Amino acid sequence: MSFRQFSSGSSSKAVATPIPPPLPPPRTPARFTSSLPCDELSALVHEKGEEGGARIPESVLSTPRMVRDAVYSYVHPQDQSKDAYLLSWNKEFAKTLGVDKNKLERSQWSEEEYDHLVKVLTGGARTLSAADYKNTSDGPRLAQPWALCYGGHQFGYYAGQLGDGRAISLYETVNKETGESWELQLKGAGKTPYSRFADGYAVLRSSIREYLCAEFVAALDVPSSRSLAILSTKTQVIREEGVEPGSIVCRVAPSWVRFGNFEIFFYRKDRKNLRKLAEYVTEQVFNLPKDNPEEMTTFAMKNRKNDINMTTTAPEPVITKESATTATEGAAEGAPAAESSPKPAYRNRFAKMFEQIAHRTAIMVSGWQAVGFCHGVMNTDNMSVLGLTIDYGPYAFLDKYDPAWICNHSDTEGRYAFQQQPGICLWNLGRLALTLENLIGAQERVDELEWLELQESDPEKEQHLKEAAQNIIVDILNKNFREVFLKDYRRRMNAKLGLGGPEQVRDEDLTKILVPALSWMDDYEIDFHQFFRDLADYKVQKAETLEENMDQVKQLVKRLLPPVVWQTRGSAAVEESRSWLAAYHTRIVESDELRDDQKRRSKMNKINPAFVLRNWVAQKVIERTTESVRKTREGSQEDDPDKDLLDRVLWMCQHPFGEETKEPTETMDIDACEVKRNNTGLEVYGEFVGPVPEWGQGIQCSCSS
């Protein structure tokens, strides 16, 4: 069997390292580690000591400590490979990742390939120094995995150094066909310098939640990190709930850089490394071009005629404040100043980077609100610069619609309640903007490093930079976050309501239909997801007005209301639904395209999921998978119907909308996941679709989830 070879670009002494299939080949050198400053102490561990001299002990890689002047530290995943085994492999995402098409299925692997994969993903192929590597031949080795150093605001307060306390990036890879870049990361792989008082492990419970939800969120067309594999380890992990089985998730994203990566340099006043990180994100993450010197010079000559020449010893040029206006030529000559518009602002590559981050964050959170997703811990260290949903902890999907729902019982003040999420994203973007003010405020002079250093060394001059950035930042947040969020949210909700594509969105769809309907759902404890599935069955037929269709209205309301609510408040619910349903009915009959009940239903059911990874579903999967793991480890010979449960539920997460079939009783067997249509026409995914059981309503999780 031939292994792919590569050399680590993150050390001056490259190490030839075999990577066995089915894992994709690494990028060499690693773009991230070869571009950004490393924790020097961890780098020294990999260097061969002087003749007879002492070496830095390897234990420093997993010793919690303060890390300075670095974006990352080299670490060694803890070897948990003994008696570890693969619980689930995501073959659908493996294809996206660029895995060899002949190695997508577990049935296509040799026993040796399976063993190598488990070993690599559980730390059994951990890095050794170049000297030690030469004397070792017991399996494939990855070159210098790393953990990120970052800070962050937690529940509104800056918390100092945080970092990857239990996440370790293995390597980067590139899909040769698509050119997409990906970074493989292990969660639960042991201690790092950022573990603080924690053990660096992950329990099976939290690993299952992240493994499934990342794929479910992605299937709902919301930007997310992805899942490649989940493994069971023999590690016994102590948590508040007691001793739990350990697990490792291999999760993947194009980049794991967060808002907090910028914050730690900002609060440490490390402007040099803050700029290095910003340069990396602009060039390598967003592929933004360098600012054109000629363009910047032309802009300066055209718009800054009254500024003095650009030398490091020159007085401070006039820089526009947020509320200031540009002086006229007469004012420059001593005449009274007249009101005029502010000076034009130059948006350099760092402002364009912030535009990208704001835009992507708006798309992400509009998706959350449209699909009823609550993140639970929207700290700035959990915010991706790529606008990806990351760090799945105490998340939840809405059961009954409640805009004030708090899914994290550690969030005692409701800071991250469902309705708060767009505002919190905006607040978090404000924290990120604070770190970039000097770079954005320098505008077309951002590459005059001596000049910029002079400004930053003088508090008064630095304040001018910050004030110059404010108008740019406010404009970006208005146009690239607020406007993008509203536009994308309305697009998503119109599609969920069956009111057509983006070109058919109307202002009254929001004011007369959506907002009143959500308020009605809140008042009558309507299940958020079932609302849209049942609404898809509403038929206008030949009825021109709602009054001609009241029998259907009553049937719809009865299906939507919980039985006890229908019995006590059914008549009021029907009456109060008239306002938004009348507008909805009228909106449909005005369009020949929307009036086709079957086509409208089909389109709605392709974006409103039949299967939802609710907390009660996740809990059932956790319980049954945990029991299956126990049986496997005890060598039980009894039949285990849950042995492939994770694979089956993963398929449901990736295909949550059901299958259209002609016959209500037809059953299809797809990848061992049974998909049916019951006699009401609703696609049923076994036991995990249907009314939320009483015990499963409103389940909350904690930050340790």
Side-chain angles (χ1 to χ4, degrees):
M1 179 172 61
S2 62
F3 290 153
R4 302 175 178 89
Q5 301 286 326
F6 84 107
S7 295
S8 169
S10 48
S11 171
S12 58
K13 297 182 179 181
V15 180
T17 310
I19 299 295
L23 291 175
R27 184 209 308 268
T28 175
R31 185 176 65 181
F32 184 84
T33 55
S34 61
S35 302
L36 292 167
C38 173
D39 166 22
E40 290 186 1
L41 190 59
S42 71
L44 289 173
V45 174
H46 297 278
E47 297 298 324
K48 186 176 181 180
E50 296 293 333
E51 191 72 27
R55 294 182 56 202
I56 300 295
E58 194 175 308
S59 60
V60 76
L61 299 181
S62 58
T63 301
R65 56 189 169 85
M66 295 300 292
V67 174
R68 302 282 181 180
D69 305 318
V71 181
Y72 67 94
S73 298
Y74 289 126
V75 291
H76 288 167
Q78 182 177 332
D79 187 354
Q80 300 177 69
S81 60
K82 182 176 174 56
D83 296 327
Y85 65 92
L86 190 65
L87 280 173
S88 179
W89 166 261
N90 184 357
K91 64 183 180 182
E92 289 196 18
F93 177 66
K95 185 177 182 179
T96 301
L97 191 60
V99 169
D100 186 331
K101 63 182 180 180
N102 297 313
K103 298 294 180 182
L104 294 174
E105 304 271 1
R106 276 190 278 182
S107 60
Q108 296 172 312
W109 308 342
S110 69
E111 186 174 340
E112 186 179 16
E113 287 171 334
Y114 172 86
D115 290 341
H116 280 315
L117 179 135
V118 171
K119 199 167 189 178
V120 168
L121 298 185
T122 54
R126 67 197 207 24
T127 303
L128 298 180
S129 68
D132 288 340
Y133 183 85
K134 291 178 182 178
N135 301 320
T136 308
S137 59
D138 59 345
R141 303 209 172 271
L142 296 174
Q144 298 177 336
W146 66 92
L148 285 176
C149 177
Y150 48 80
H153 279 78
Q154 297 195 322
F155 292 91
Y157 300 95
Y158 186 68
Q161 177 178 296
L162 298 170
D164 287 335
R166 57 175 174 170
I168 296 174
S169 292
L170 281 178
Y171 63 86
E172 301 168 352
T173 189
V174 178
N175 185 323
K176 293 181 180 179
E177 292 185 4
T178 65
E180 293 176 315
S181 176
W182 299 97
E183 184 177 320
L184 278 67
Q185 189 176 84
L186 303 182
K187 188 171 182 178
K191 284 186 178 181
T192 76
Y194 314 105
S195 296
R196 292 176 286 175
F197 302 106
D199 53 24
Y201 299 134
V203 295
L204 182 60
R205 163 175 48 89
S206 63
S207 297
I208 289 173
R209 287 174 57 83
E210 174 148 10
Y211 180 70
L212 294 176
C213 196
E215 291 303 294
F216 182 58
V217 169
L220 297 180
D221 194 29
V222 179
S224 175
S225 60
R226 302 297 299 271
S227 303
L228 179 61
I230 180 172
L231 302 100
S232 170
T233 69
K234 202 174 182 180
T235 305
Q236 293 295 296
V237 185
I238 300 175
R239 292 290 183 266
E240 294 177 0
E241 293 79 2
V243 179
E244 299 188 52
S247 178
I248 294 176
V249 171
C250 180
R251 59 185 192 173
V252 187
S255 172
W256 291 98
V257 175
R258 304 137 184 275
F259 291 13
N261 286 104
F262 291 89
E263 287 188 283
I264 195 164
F265 290 134
F266 174 78
Y267 285 101
R268 288 177 172 176
K269 302 186 184 302
D270 186 349
R271 298 186 182 97
K272 180 180 178 182
N273 283 321
L274 176 60
R275 185 185 180 103
K276 284 183 180 179
L277 177 63
E279 292 278 14
Y280 172 81
V281 174
T282 57
E283 294 174 18
Q284 303 293 344
V285 177
F286 290 124
N287 296 314
L288 295 173
K290 284 274 191 182
D291 289 299
N292 187 316
E294 292 183 5
E295 180 183 304
M296 291 195 293
T297 300
T298 301
F299 181 90
M301 292 176 64
K302 181 178 180 180
N303 298 296
R304 306 291 176 105
K305 293 180 180 179
N306 296 319
D307 289 355
I308 48 86
N309 58 26
M310 299 178 180
T311 65
T312 58
T313 58
E316 171 67 18
V318 177
I319 299 179
T320 306
K321 294 183 179 181
E322 184 176 13
S323 59
T325 57
T326 307
T328 63
E329 291 184 7
E333 296 171 357
E339 290 188 5
S340 62
S341 59
K343 284 186 178 181
Y346 184 85
R347 296 199 179 187
N348 58 38
R349 61 190 179 279
F350 303 110
K352 293 173 182 176
M353 175 188 75
F354 187 64
E355 285 179 344
Q356 288 266 353
I357 296 172
H359 183 101
R360 288 166 177 263
T361 302
I363 296 295
M364 175 191 74
V365 75
S366 73
W368 290 2
Q369 302 308 108
V371 303
F373 175 75
C374 308
H375 186 280
V377 193
M378 294 175 62
N379 298 330
T380 55
D381 56 295
N382 293 336
M383 297 290 293
S384 161
V385 296
L386 283 172
L388 303 175
T389 311
I390 59 172
D391 294 352
Y392 291 88
Y395 68 79
F397 287 87
L398 293 176
D399 291 328
K400 66 180 181 181
Y401 180 71
D402 177 3
W405 171 242
I406 304 166
C407 71
N408 179 1
H409 68 63
S410 301
D411 184 7
T412 55
E413 297 182 0
R415 177 178 177 82
Y416 300 139
F418 178 69
Q419 63 186 354
Q420 298 285 87
Q421 293 183 143
I424 290 296
C425 280
L426 185 60
W427 190 90
N428 288 344
L429 284 166
R431 300 318 97 202
L432 176 63
L434 190 65
T435 72
L436 300 171
E437 278 184 334
N438 288 4
L439 295 175
I440 293 174
Q443 300 186 39
E444 77 275 12
R445 303 186 70 173
V446 71
D447 290 332
E448 298 176 46
L449 300 184
E450 291 184 358
W451 175 85
L452 185 54
E453 185 178 348
L454 181 65
Q455 312 312 302
E456 293 178 329
S457 65
D458 184 316
E460 184 176 346
K461 292 178 179 180
E462 186 176 34
Q463 184 60 29
H464 287 314
L465 289 178
K466 296 181 183 301
E467 292 174 353
Q470 288 175 6
N471 281 339
I472 299 174
I473 290 169
V474 168
D475 190 55
I476 288 172
L477 292 177
N478 277 323
K479 293 181 179 178
N480 294 83
F481 182 81
R482 287 190 176 95
E483 292 181 13
V484 169
F485 168 80
L486 184 58
K487 182 178 180 180
D488 193 63
Y489 178 70
R490 293 175 68 176
R491 173 190 68 82
R492 288 178 182 271
M493 297 309 292
N494 261 51
K496 287 175 73 68
L497 289 166
L499 298 180
E503 69 285 350
Q504 294 173 279
V505 174
R506 301 179 185 175
D507 290 341
E508 58 266 28
D509 293 340
L510 181 69
T511 58
K512 293 184 178 181
I513 301 174
L514 179 59
V515 172
L518 291 174
S519 178
W520 181 80
M521 291 164 63
D522 186 19
D523 289 342
Y524 289 97
E525 303 179 35
I526 306 299
D527 185 285
F528 180 78
H529 307 283
Q530 198 59 47
F531 172 83
F532 295 100
R533 294 293 294 196
D534 283 352
L535 189 63
D537 292 329
Y538 179 77
K539 297 179 177 62
V540 298
Q541 301 174 106
K542 297 181 180 180
E544 294 299 323
T545 66
L546 186 72
E547 295 302 320
E548 300 173 48
N549 224 22
M550 285 307 296
D551 286 342
Q552 265 210 79
V553 171
K554 291 176 183 177
Q555 293 172 14
L556 173 64
V557 173
K558 185 176 182 179
R559 287 202 309 271
L560 287 171
L561 264 61
V564 66
V565 178
W566 171 255
Q567 291 173 7
T568 57
R569 303 171 62 199
S571 297
V574 171
E575 188 61 30
E576 291 180 22
S577 71
R578 283 174 178 248
S579 61
W580 66 268
L581 265 176
Y584 182 68
H585 187 101
T586 300
R587 178 76 164 79
I588 291 172
V589 299
E590 288 177 351
S591 166
D592 291 338
E593 179 185 349
L594 301 182
R595 191 160 188 161
D596 187 321
D597 292 321
Q598 187 55 42
K599 286 184 179 179
R600 189 178 69 257
R601 178 187 186 277
S602 178
K603 288 182 179 180
M604 290 176 69
N605 283 349
K606 287 178 181 177
I607 58 172
N608 293 309
F611 168 82
V612 179
L613 188 66
R614 304 173 190 264
N615 267 348
W616 77 267
V617 173
Q619 184 59 32
K620 291 292 287 184
V621 174
I622 289 166
E623 290 172 359
R624 288 166 55 178
T625 303
T626 301
E627 178 63 15
S628 180
V629 167
R630 183 192 66 78
K631 290 177 180 178
T632 298
R633 295 208 169 276
E634 292 178 355
S636 173
Q637 298 300 311
E638 66 178 280
D639 182 53
D640 185 0
D642 295 323
K643 196 170 185 65
D644 64 347
L645 180 64
L646 266 182
D647 283 336
R648 289 187 284 123
V649 177
L650 175 66
W651 188 94
M652 299 177 199
C653 289
Q654 295 170 324
H655 305 85
F657 304 109
E659 299 293 331
E660 291 291 340
T661 59
K662 295 180 179 180
E663 298 298 328
T665 58
E666 182 177 351
T667 297
M668 296 173 292
D669 190 11
I670 303 177
D671 291 356
C673 178
E674 189 175 56
V675 182
K676 301 177 181 178
R677 288 176 64 89
N678 66 10
N679 55 13
T680 64
L682 176 66
E683 295 82 350
V684 177
Y685 283 41
E687 65 190 283
F688 296 119
V689 168
V692 179
E694 188 173 346
W695 66 266
Q697 294 177 3
I699 293 178
Q700 291 178 303
C701 298
S702 71
C703 286
S704 64
S705 298

